[in-house]
Amino acid sequence: MDVRNNRRDETGASVITANRLLDGRIVWLSAQGWSELISHARVFGNSEIESAIKQASTAAAARTVVGIYGVQLDPDAAGITPLTVRERIRAFGPTVHPDFAPVETQDVH
């Protein structure tokens, strides 16, 4: 089991996240690869997330990211929203003024 996120339940849904090696940005596994936007993330059932993490870690594209792990989603939220505050900050941006936030790029890796 992925030990980074011990809040993941046996039921529910999760997404997979990592940090891009090139610039350290937070990325989410989408159907086309790694995206900077959690809204593009592929949603997995918690029963299949461990095998999806293992597959993402061993894929050739994994050499572009580090720290791959699953993030439990909030079942009561509208849209793809992580359950924990830490992951919400990672998903939706820093807790600083928007002028100091990183600029989004449209690339999906």
Side-chain angles (χ1 to χ4, degrees):
M1 174 178 220
D2 173 18
V3 295
R4 286 184 176 209
N5 189 340
N6 59 5
R7 293 204 49 176
R8 194 169 46 247
D9 301 326
E10 291 189 24
T11 60
S14 294
V15 293
I16 297 175
T17 187
N19 288 87
R20 191 166 49 208
L21 276 174
L22 185 62
D23 55 10
R25 293 228 176 164
I26 298 160
V27 290
W28 307 89
L29 185 61
S30 71
Q32 290 82 33
W34 295 99
S35 172
E36 294 178 15
L37 302 174
I38 191 172
S39 60
H40 294 167
R42 182 176 171 198
V43 177
F44 297 90
N46 282 353
S47 62
E48 62 184 343
I49 192 71
E50 292 300 326
S51 63
I53 292 169
K54 185 175 181 179
Q55 186 176 14
S57 299
T58 58
R63 286 179 277 163
T64 61
V65 297
V66 294
I68 299 171
Y69 64 98
V71 174
Q72 171 88 33
L73 297 177
D74 184 349
D76 299 325
I80 300 175
T81 304
L83 183 63
T84 65
V85 172
R86 176 186 187 273
E87 297 303 333
R88 285 183 187 172
I89 292 170
R90 290 184 80 240
F92 301 120
T95 57
V96 297
H97 191 278
D99 288 346
F100 302 109
V103 177
E104 285 182 9
T105 59
Q106 298 303 316
D107 299 30
V108 175
H109 301 271

Coordinates of all heavy atoms in Angstrom, one line a residue, residues 22-89:
L22 N 11.8 18.2 -14.1 CA 12.3 19.3 -14.7 C 12.3 20.6 -13.9 O 13.2 21.4 -13.9 CB 11.6 19.5 -16.1 CG 12.2 20.6 -17.0 CD1 13.6 20.3 -17.4 CD2 11.3 20.7 -18.2
D23 N 11.1 20.9 -13.3 CA 10.9 22.1 -12.6 C 10.3 22.0 -11.2 O 10.0 23.0 -10.5 CB 10.1 23.1 -13.4 CG 8.8 22.5 -13.8 OD1 8.4 21.4 -13.3 OD2 8.1 23.1 -14.7
G24 N 10.0 20.8 -10.8 CA 9.5 20.6 -9.4 C 8.0 20.8 -9.3 O 7.4 20.7 -8.2
R25 N 7.3 21.1 -10.4 CA 5.9 21.4 -10.3 C 5.1 20.2 -10.0 O 5.5 19.0 -10.3 CB 5.4 21.9 -11.7 CG 6.0 23.3 -12.0 CD 4.9 24.2 -12.4 NE 5.5 25.5 -12.6 CZ 4.9 26.4 -13.3 NH1 3.7 26.2 -13.8 NH2 5.4 27.6 -13.4
I26 N 3.9 20.4 -9.4 CA 3.0 19.3 -9.0 C 2.3 19.0 -10.3 O 1.8 19.8 -11.0 CB 2.0 19.8 -7.9 CG1 2.8 20.2 -6.7 CG2 1.0 18.8 -7.7 CD1 2.1 21.1 -5.7
V27 N 2.2 17.7 -10.6 CA 1.5 17.2 -11.7 C 0.5 16.1 -11.3 O 0.7 15.4 -10.3 CB 2.5 16.7 -12.8 CG1 3.2 17.9 -13.4 CG2 3.4 15.7 -12.3
W28 N -0.4 15.8 -12.2 CA -1.5 14.8 -12.0 C -1.6 13.9 -13.2 O -1.5 14.4 -14.3 CB -2.8 15.6 -11.7 CG -2.7 16.6 -10.7 CD1 -2.4 17.9 -10.9 CD2 -2.9 16.4 -9.3 NE1 -2.4 18.6 -9.7 CE2 -2.7 17.7 -8.7 CE3 -3.3 15.3 -8.5 CZ2 -2.8 17.9 -7.3 CZ3 -3.4 15.5 -7.1 CH2 -3.1 16.8 -6.6
L29 N -1.7 12.7 -12.9 CA -1.8 11.7 -14.0 C -3.1 11.8 -14.7 O -4.2 11.6 -14.1 CB -1.6 10.3 -13.5 CG -1.5 9.2 -14.6 CD1 -0.3 9.4 -15.5 CD2 -1.4 7.8 -14.0
S30 N -3.1 12.1 -16.0 CA -4.3 12.2 -16.8 C -4.3 11.1 -17.8 O -3.4 10.3 -17.8 CB -4.3 13.6 -17.6 OG -3.4 13.6 -18.6
A31 N -5.3 11.0 -18.6 CA -5.4 10.0 -19.7 C -4.3 10.1 -20.7 O -3.9 9.2 -21.3 CB -6.7 10.0 -20.3
Q32 N -3.8 11.4 -20.9 CA -2.7 11.6 -21.9 C -1.3 11.7 -21.3 O -0.4 12.0 -22.0 CB -3.0 12.9 -22.6 CG -4.2 12.9 -23.5 CD -5.5 13.1 -22.8 OE1 -5.6 13.8 -21.8 NE2 -6.6 12.4 -23.2
G33 N -1.2 11.6 -20.0 CA 0.1 11.7 -19.4 C 0.0 12.6 -18.2 O -1.0 12.5 -17.5
W34 N 1.0 13.4 -17.9 CA 1.0 14.2 -16.7 C 0.6 15.6 -17.0 O 1.0 16.2 -18.0 CB 2.4 14.2 -16.1 CG 2.9 12.9 -15.6 CD1 3.7 12.0 -16.3 CD2 2.5 12.3 -14.4 NE1 3.8 10.9 -15.5 CE2 3.1 11.0 -14.3 CE3 1.7 12.6 -13.3 CZ2 3.0 10.1 -13.3 CZ3 1.6 11.7 -12.2 CH2 2.2 10.5 -12.2
S35 N -0.3 16.1 -16.2 CA -0.9 17.5 -16.4 C -0.7 18.3 -15.1 O -0.7 17.8 -14.0 CB -2.4 17.4 -16.7 OG -3.0 18.7 -16.7
E36 N -0.6 19.6 -15.3 CA -0.5 20.5 -14.1 C -1.8 20.8 -13.5 O -1.9 21.4 -12.4 CB 0.2 21.8 -14.6 CG 1.6 21.7 -15.0 CD 2.2 23.0 -15.4 OE1 1.7 24.0 -15.2 OE2 3.3 22.9 -16.1
L37 N -2.9 20.4 -14.2 CA -4.2 20.7 -13.7 C -4.9 19.5 -13.1 O -5.1 18.4 -13.8 CB -5.1 21.3 -14.8 CG -4.6 22.5 -15.5 CD1 -5.4 22.9 -16.7 CD2 -4.5 23.7 -14.5
I38 N -5.4 19.5 -11.9 CA -6.0 18.4 -11.3 C -7.4 18.1 -12.0 O -7.8 17.0 -12.0 CB -6.3 18.6 -9.8 CG1 -6.7 17.3 -9.1 CG2 -7.2 19.7 -9.5 CD1 -6.8 17.3 -7.6
S39 N -7.9 19.1 -12.6 CA -9.2 18.9 -13.4 C -9.0 17.9 -14.6 O -9.9 17.3 -15.1 CB -9.8 20.2 -13.9 OG -8.9 20.8 -14.7
H40 N -7.7 17.7 -15.0 CA -7.4 16.8 -16.1 C -7.1 15.4 -15.6 O -6.9 14.5 -16.3 CB -6.3 17.3 -16.9 CG -6.6 18.5 -17.7 ND1 -5.6 19.3 -18.3 CD2 -7.7 19.2 -17.9 CE1 -6.1 20.3 -18.9 NE2 -7.4 20.3 -18.7
A41 N -7.0 15.3 -14.3 CA -6.6 14.0 -13.7 C -7.5 12.9 -13.9 O -8.8 13.1 -14.0 CB -6.4 14.2 -12.2
R42 N -7.0 11.7 -14.1 CA -7.8 10.5 -14.3 C -8.2 10.0 -12.9 O -7.3 9.9 -12.0 CB -7.0 9.4 -15.0 CG -7.7 8.2 -15.3 CD -6.9 7.2 -16.1 NE -7.6 5.9 -16.1 CZ -7.0 4.8 -16.5 NH1 -5.8 4.8 -16.8 NH2 -7.7 3.7 -16.5
V43 N -9.4 9.7 -12.7 CA -9.9 9.2 -11.4 C -10.0 7.7 -11.4 O -10.5 7.1 -12.3 CB -11.4 9.8 -11.2 CG1 -11.9 9.3 -9.9 CG2 -11.3 11.4 -11.2
F44 N -9.4 7.2 -10.3 CA -9.4 5.7 -10.2 C -10.2 5.4 -8.9 O -10.2 6.1 -8.0 CB -8.0 5.2 -9.9 CG -7.0 5.5 -11.0 CD1 -6.3 6.6 -11.1 CD2 -6.9 4.5 -12.0 CE1 -5.4 6.9 -12.2 CE2 -6.0 4.7 -13.1 CZ -5.3 5.9 -13.2
G45 N -10.9 4.2 -9.0 CA -11.5 3.7 -7.8 C -10.4 3.3 -6.8 O -9.3 2.9 -7.2
N46 N -10.6 3.4 -5.5 CA -9.6 3.1 -4.5 C -9.2 1.6 -4.6 O -8.1 1.3 -4.2 CB -10.0 3.5 -3.1 CG -9.9 5.0 -2.9 OD1 -9.4 5.7 -3.7 ND2 -10.4 5.4 -1.8
S47 N -10.1 0.8 -5.1 CA -9.7 -0.6 -5.2 C -8.6 -0.9 -6.3 O -7.9 -1.9 -6.2 CB -10.9 -1.5 -5.5 OG -11.5 -1.1 -6.7
E48 N -8.5 0.0 -7.2 CA -7.5 -0.1 -8.3 C -6.4 0.8 -8.2 O -5.5 0.8 -9.1 CB -8.2 0.0 -9.6 CG -8.9 1.4 -9.8 CD -9.6 1.5 -11.1 OE1 -9.5 0.7 -12.0 OE2 -10.4 2.4 -11.2
I49 N -6.3 1.7 -7.2 CA -5.3 2.8 -7.2 C -3.9 2.2 -7.0 O -2.9 2.7 -7.6 CB -5.7 3.9 -6.2 CG1 -4.8 5.1 -6.4 CG2 -5.6 3.3 -4.8 CD1 -5.1 5.9 -7.6
E50 N -3.7 1.2 -6.2 CA -2.4 0.7 -5.9 C -1.8 0.1 -7.2 O -0.6 0.4 -7.5 CB -2.4 -0.4 -4.8 CG -2.8 0.1 -3.5 CD -1.8 1.2 -2.9 OE1 -0.6 1.1 -3.2 OE2 -2.2 2.1 -2.3
S51 N -2.5 -0.6 -8.0 CA -2.0 -1.1 -9.2 C -1.7 0.0 -10.2 O -0.7 0.0 -11.0 CB -2.9 -2.2 -9.8 OG -4.1 -1.6 -10.2
A52 N -2.6 1.1 -10.2 CA -2.3 2.2 -11.1 C -1.1 3.0 -10.7 O -0.3 3.4 -11.6 CB -3.6 3.1 -11.1
I53 N -0.8 3.1 -9.4 CA 0.4 3.8 -9.0 C 1.6 3.0 -9.4 O 2.6 3.5 -9.9 CB 0.4 3.9 -7.4 CG1 -0.7 5.0 -7.0 CG2 1.7 4.4 -6.9 CD1 -1.0 5.0 -5.5
K54 N 1.5 1.7 -9.2 CA 2.7 0.8 -9.6 C 2.9 0.9 -11.1 O 4.1 1.0 -11.5 CB 2.3 -0.7 -9.2 CG 3.5 -1.6 -9.5 CD 3.2 -3.0 -9.0 CE 4.4 -3.9 -9.2 NZ 4.1 -5.3 -8.7
Q55 N 1.8 0.9 -11.9 CA 2.0 1.0 -13.3 C 2.6 2.4 -13.7 O 3.4 2.5 -14.6 CB 0.6 0.8 -14.0 CG 0.7 0.8 -15.5 CD -0.6 0.5 -16.1 OE1 -1.7 0.5 -15.5 NE2 -0.6 0.1 -17.4
A56 N 2.1 3.4 -13.1 CA 2.6 4.8 -13.4 C 4.1 4.9 -13.0 O 4.9 5.6 -13.7 CB 1.8 5.8 -12.6
S57 N 4.5 4.2 -11.9 CA 5.9 4.3 -11.5 C 6.8 3.5 -12.4 O 8.0 3.9 -12.5 CB 6.0 3.7 -10.0 OG 5.2 4.4 -9.2
T58 N 6.3 2.5 -13.0 CA 7.2 1.7 -13.9 C 7.2 2.1 -15.3 O 8.0 1.7 -16.1 CB 6.8 0.2 -13.8 OG1 5.5 0.0 -14.1 CG2 7.1 -0.3 -12.3
A59 N 6.2 3.0 -15.7 CA 6.1 3.4 -17.1 C 7.3 4.2 -17.5 O 7.9 4.9 -16.6 CB 4.8 4.2 -17.3
A60 N 7.6 4.2 -18.7 CA 8.8 5.0 -19.2 C 8.7 6.4 -18.9 O 9.6 7.1 -18.6 CB 8.9 4.7 -20.7
A61 N 7.4 7.0 -19.0 CA 7.2 8.4 -18.7 C 7.5 8.7 -17.2 O 7.7 9.9 -16.9 CB 5.8 8.8 -19.1
A62 N 7.5 7.7 -16.4 CA 7.8 8.0 -15.0 C 9.1 8.6 -14.7 O 9.4 9.2 -13.7 CB 7.6 6.7 -14.1
R63 N 10.0 8.5 -15.6 CA 11.4 9.1 -15.5 C 11.3 10.6 -15.5 O 12.3 11.3 -15.2 CB 12.3 8.5 -16.5 CG 12.7 7.1 -16.2 CD 13.6 6.6 -17.3 NE 12.8 6.1 -18.4 CZ 13.2 5.9 -19.6 NH1 14.5 6.0 -19.9 NH2 12.4 5.5 -20.5
T64 N 10.2 11.2 -15.8 CA 10.0 12.6 -15.9 C 9.5 13.2 -14.6 O 9.4 14.4 -14.4 CB 9.1 13.1 -17.0 OG1 7.8 12.5 -16.8 CG2 9.7 12.6 -18.4
V65 N 9.1 12.3 -13.6 CA 8.5 12.7 -12.4 C 9.1 11.9 -11.2 O 9.6 10.8 -11.4 CB 6.9 12.5 -12.4 CG1 6.3 13.4 -13.4 CG2 6.5 11.1 -12.6
V66 N 8.9 12.4 -10.0 CA 9.3 11.7 -8.8 C 8.2 11.8 -7.8 O 7.3 12.7 -7.9 CB 10.6 12.3 -8.2 CG1 11.8 12.1 -9.1 CG2 10.4 13.8 -7.8
G67 N 8.2 10.9 -6.8 CA 7.3 11.0 -5.7 C 5.8 10.7 -6.1 O 4.9 11.4 -5.7
I68 N 5.6 9.6 -6.9 CA 4.3 9.3 -7.3 C 3.5 8.6 -6.2 O 4.0 7.7 -5.5 CB 4.4 8.3 -8.5 CG1 5.2 8.9 -9.7 CG2 3.0 7.8 -9.0 CD1 5.5 8.0 -10.8
Y69 N 2.3 9.2 -5.9 CA 1.4 8.6 -4.9 C 0.0 8.9 -5.2 O -0.3 9.8 -6.0 CB 1.8 9.0 -3.5 CG 1.7 10.5 -3.2 CD1 0.6 10.9 -2.5 CD2 2.7 11.3 -3.5 CE1 0.5 12.3 -2.2 CE2 2.6 12.7 -3.2 CZ 1.5 13.1 -2.5 OH 1.4 14.5 -2.2
G70 N -0.9 8.3 -4.5 CA -2.4 8.5 -4.7 C -2.9 9.5 -3.7 O -2.4 9.6 -2.6
V71 N -4.0 10.2 -4.2 CA -4.6 11.2 -3.3 C -6.1 10.9 -3.3 O -6.8 10.9 -4.3 CB -4.4 12.6 -3.9 CG1 -5.2 13.6 -3.2 CG2 -2.9 12.9 -3.9
Q72 N -6.6 10.6 -2.1 CA -8.0 10.4 -1.9 C -8.9 11.6 -2.2 O -8.5 12.8 -1.9 CB -8.3 10.0 -0.4 CG -9.7 9.9 0.0 CD -10.4 8.6 -0.2 OE1 -9.7 7.6 -0.1 NE2 -11.6 8.5 -0.6
L73 N -10.0 11.4 -2.9 CA -10.8 12.6 -3.3 C -12.0 12.7 -2.3 O -12.4 11.7 -1.7 CB -11.4 12.3 -4.7 CG -10.3 12.3 -5.8 CD1 -11.0 12.0 -7.2 CD2 -9.6 13.6 -5.9
D74 N -12.4 13.9 -2.2 CA -13.6 14.2 -1.3 C -14.9 13.8 -2.0 O -15.2 14.4 -3.0 CB -13.6 15.7 -1.0 CG -14.7 16.1 0.0 OD1 -15.6 15.3 0.3 OD2 -14.7 17.2 0.5
P75 N -15.6 12.8 -1.5 CA -16.8 12.3 -2.1 C -17.9 13.4 -2.1 O -18.9 13.3 -2.9 CB -17.2 11.1 -1.3 CG -16.6 11.3 0.0 CD -15.3 12.1 -0.2
D76 N -17.9 14.3 -1.2 CA -19.0 15.3 -1.1 C -18.7 16.6 -2.0 O -19.6 17.4 -2.1 CB -19.2 15.7 0.3 CG -19.6 14.5 1.2 OD1 -20.3 13.7 0.7 OD2 -19.1 14.5 2.4
A77 N -17.5 16.7 -2.5 CA -17.2 17.9 -3.3 C -17.6 17.8 -4.7 O -17.7 16.8 -5.3 CB -15.7 18.1 -3.2
A78 N -17.9 19.0 -5.3 CA -18.2 19.1 -6.7 C -16.9 19.1 -7.5 O -16.0 19.8 -7.2 CB -19.0 20.3 -7.0
G79 N -16.8 18.2 -8.4 CA -15.5 18.1 -9.2 C -14.4 17.3 -8.5 O -14.7 16.7 -7.4
I80 N -13.3 17.4 -9.0 CA -12.1 16.6 -8.5 C -11.5 17.5 -7.4 O -10.8 18.4 -7.7 CB -11.1 16.2 -9.6 CG1 -11.8 15.4 -10.7 CG2 -9.9 15.5 -9.0 CD1 -11.0 15.1 -11.9
T81 N -11.7 17.1 -6.1 CA -11.2 17.8 -5.0 C -10.6 16.9 -4.0 O -11.3 15.9 -3.5 CB -12.3 18.6 -4.3 OG1 -13.0 19.5 -5.3 CG2 -11.8 19.4 -3.2
P82 N -9.3 17.1 -3.7 CA -8.7 16.2 -2.7 C -9.4 16.3 -1.3 O -9.9 17.3 -0.9 CB -7.3 16.7 -2.6 CG -7.0 17.4 -3.9 CD -8.4 18.0 -4.3
L83 N -9.3 15.2 -0.5 CA -9.9 15.2 0.8 C -9.1 16.0 1.8 O -9.7 16.7 2.6 CB -10.0 13.7 1.2 CG -10.7 13.4 2.5 CD1 -12.1 13.8 2.5 CD2 -10.6 11.9 2.8
T84 N -7.8 15.9 1.7 CA -7.0 16.6 2.8 C -6.6 18.0 2.4 O -6.5 18.4 1.2 CB -5.7 15.8 3.1 OG1 -4.9 15.9 1.9 CG2 -6.0 14.4 3.5
V85 N -6.4 18.9 3.4 CA -6.0 20.3 3.1 C -4.7 20.3 2.4 O -4.5 21.1 1.5 CB -6.0 21.0 4.5 CG1 -5.4 22.4 4.3 CG2 -7.3 21.1 5.1
R86 N -3.7 19.5 2.8 CA -2.4 19.5 2.2 C -2.6 19.3 0.7 O -2.0 20.0 -0.1 CB -1.5 18.4 2.8 CG -0.2 18.3 2.1 CD 0.6 17.1 2.6 NE 1.9 17.0 2.1 CZ 2.3 16.5 0.9 NH1 1.4 15.9 0.2 NH2 3.5 16.5 0.5
E87 N -3.4 18.3 0.3 CA -3.5 18.0 -1.1 C -4.3 19.1 -1.8 O -4.2 19.3 -3.0 CB -4.1 16.6 -1.3 CG -3.2 15.5 -0.8 CD -1.8 15.5 -1.4 OE1 -1.6 16.0 -2.6 OE2 -0.9 15.0 -0.7
R88 N -5.3 19.7 -1.1 CA -6.0 20.8 -1.8 C -5.1 22.0 -2.1 O -5.2 22.6 -3.1 CB -7.1 21.3 -0.8 CG -8.3 20.4 -0.8 CD -9.4 20.9 0.1 NE -10.4 19.9 0.2 CZ -11.5 20.0 1.0 NH1 -11.6 21.0 1.7 NH2 -12.3 19.0 1.0
I89 N -4.2 22.3 -1.2 CA -3.2 23.3 -1.5 C -2.3 22.9 -2.6 O -2.0 23.8 -3.5 CB -2.3 23.6 -0.2 CG1 -3.2 24.2 0.9 CG2 -1.1 24.5 -0.5 CD1 -2.5 24.3 2.2

